[in-house]
Amino acid sequence: MTPRSELTRSLLAVLGRISGLRPATPASTHVGSRVPWDLDAMAVGIDDELIEIRVVALALPLPPILREAEAALRAALAETRWKDTRLRLVVCDIDAAALTPVVHASDAGA
């Protein structure tokens, strides 16, 4: 296993402990059952200047969830050669379930 693949696994494990986010991966489970690798790894891009993790929001509001994720991911990077690398979290989508409370609250006020 390469250092980047090990870091990818570590970052995905940290992300898995953050309530309200999941890795943004291809939606098709049909494809996922045919590929020999972890599709979640496709949500992580690592190079020497930038670590980018694409996520789907499962809950709102986003700012506190993203701050928690950033702090946890930064802690995971602390003892690696990427400790000073820029970290970018990209919210690619918002799960419909995250919007349900917002929709119900606006219906109640109408």
Side-chain angles (χ1 to χ4, degrees), residues 4 10 16 22 32 40-42 44 46 48 54 57 65 69-71 80 84 95-97 102-103 110:
R4 287 182 185 187
S10 173
R22 71 166 173 79
D40 287 352
M42 295 176 71
V44 180
I46 299 171
D48 293 332
R54 292 163 297 282
I65 297 169
E70 181 183 12
T80 72
D84 295 322
D95 190 281
V102 174
V103 171

Side-chain angles (χ1 to χ4, degrees), residues 20-73:
L21 296 176
R22 71 166 173 79
T25 56
S28 176
T29 55
H30 177 69
V31 171
S33 65
R34 293 182 163 191
V35 294
W37 61 83
D38 180 6
L39 284 178
D40 287 352
M42 295 176 71
V44 180
I46 299 171
D47 66 34
D48 293 332
E49 297 174 10
L50 175 68
I51 296 172
E52 182 176 277
I53 304 173
R54 292 163 297 282
V55 297
V56 173
L58 304 174
L60 296 173
L62 277 173
I65 297 169
L66 293 173
R67 283 192 296 272
E68 177 188 355
E70 181 183 12
L73 292 163

Side-chain angles (χ1 to χ4, degrees), residues 1-14 38 41 44 46 51 73 76-77 79-82:
M1 188 173 295
T2 68
R4 287 182 185 187
S5 61
E6 288 177 18
L7 181 61
T8 297
R9 291 177 75 156
S10 173
L11 294 174
L12 288 171
V14 169
D38 180 6
V44 180
I46 299 171
I51 296 172
L73 292 163
L77 293 170
E79 299 299 320
T80 72
R81 74 176 216 202
W82 291 277

